[in-house]
Amino acid sequence: MVMAIHPQEKNVVGVQMMKQDGVDENKEVAVQLQVGEGDFSLLGPRNYGHSTRHYDKPLSCFGCGIGWFLFLLGFAFPPIWYCATVLYLGKYYLKDPRERSGLAASAIAALICSVAILISLLAVFL
């Protein structure tokens, strides 16, 4: 495939198709490109400073993510760790993998809290 730009016609590119053995088919196709203000890219859309990727969005709960927020809140109210554990076991982190570490920390804190409560109850009643 050979491409040639026609300077007389704005935004038109001529394309000449060839067979694999190198013989010309003599077919020319005119392709019109809609280019405005130089923001055309063959690799993908340009954003000029505005990122639209999924993981560039800030996390919820003051930017630290719901997992870490619940982890920190759990020190004041430990049953919150169990809510975060339910989110972790329900694979909430598949929506945004950045949430996984905070939810895992909350699940571990809930486990440690459970063990501490169990040991305390065994010490009191036995």
Side-chain angles (χ1 to χ4, degrees):
M1 181 167 71
V2 179
M3 296 179 69
I5 298 174
H6 299 288
Q8 296 89 358
E9 300 175 27
K10 188 177 180 184
N11 296 336
V12 175
V13 176
V15 179
Q16 183 177 6
M17 305 297 270
M18 298 178 74
K19 289 184 180 178
Q20 275 193 338
D21 58 4
V23 180
D24 251 349
E25 286 186 22
N26 292 329
K27 291 184 181 177
E28 284 200 24
V29 179
V31 178
Q32 186 164 0
L33 302 173
Q34 300 295 326
V35 180
E37 302 291 322
D39 59 353
F40 175 74
S41 172
L42 292 175
L43 300 176
R46 287 193 173 183
N47 296 326
Y48 294 112
H50 302 292
S51 182
T52 58
R53 294 183 296 180
H54 178 70
Y55 299 121
D56 288 341
K57 296 177 186 173
L59 290 170
S60 59
C61 296
F62 309 107
C64 67
I66 194 167
W68 287 113
F69 182 74
L70 292 176
F71 177 73
L72 294 174
L73 195 61
F75 287 104
F77 189 63
I80 292 291
W81 286 329
Y82 296 100
C83 297
T85 302
V86 168
L87 289 176
Y88 181 70
L89 295 176
K91 299 189 182 202
Y92 178 79
Y93 56 84
L94 291 179
K95 290 183 182 179
D96 191 349
R98 298 177 293 173
E99 296 280 359
R100 186 178 210 160
S101 60
L103 292 172
S106 295
I108 292 169
L111 178 66
I112 292 171
C113 184
S114 297
V115 169
I117 289 172
L118 182 65
I119 290 173
S120 298
L121 290 174
L122 287 174
V124 169
F125 293 113
L126 290 181

